[in-house]
């Protein structure tokens, strides 16, 4: 029987694992472990170059030069980075700090927010 070690995972990963795990007849911890094993195998696959992926993610190489699997990894990383930026984005606070007003929709009504 395998032993386990506690680790910390981001809240969004835990929430996703908690939601998916019952569908796969696993606990949340088992689901995270499953995803980790898949990631490990994927990164060690002979037809996936993590160096090429890192170069594309670092804007030092072209996405079009990657094979299909490498492109899938890049797209997944782009989605994660975009979602993280959206979670971190708080324009209301930024505008308030700059003393700027802004306009937004609130239940279909146009509302002007003053600093």
């Amino acid at each position: 029987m395998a032993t386990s070690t506690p680790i910390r995972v981001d809240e969004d990963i835990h929430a996703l694992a908690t939601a998916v795990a019952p569908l796969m007849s696993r606990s949340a911890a088992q689901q995270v472990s499953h995803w980790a094993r898949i990631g490990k195998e994927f990164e060690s696959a002979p037809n996936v170059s993590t160096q090429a992926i890192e170069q594309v993610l670092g804007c030092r190489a072209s996405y079009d030069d990657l094979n299909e699997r490498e492109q899938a990894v890049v797209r997944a990383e782009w989605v994660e980075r975009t979602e993280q930026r959206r979670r971190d984005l708080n324009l209301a606070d930024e505008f308030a700090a700059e003393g700027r007003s802004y306009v937004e929709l609130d239940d279909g009504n146009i509302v002007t927010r003053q600093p």
Side-chain angles (χ1 to χ4, degrees), residues 46-58:
N47 56 349
V48 175
S49 168
T50 54
Q51 182 180 8
I53 291 167
E54 289 171 5
Q55 288 178 346
V56 169
L57 292 171

Side-chain angles (χ1 to χ4, degrees), residues 32-63:
V32 171
S33 292
H34 173 72
W35 287 336
R37 281 191 296 278
I38 290 172
K40 180 181 140 300
E41 291 301 319
F42 195 77
E43 286 184 344
S44 65
N47 56 349
V48 175
S49 168
T50 54
Q51 182 180 8
I53 291 167
E54 289 171 5
Q55 288 178 346
V56 169
L57 292 171
C59 301
R60 295 182 305 278
S62 172
Y63 171 84

Side-chain angles (χ1 to χ4, degrees), residues 103-111 113:
V103 177
E104 67 179 342
L105 280 178
D106 187 5
D107 291 325
N109 299 312
I110 298 174
V111 179
R113 307 286 185 193

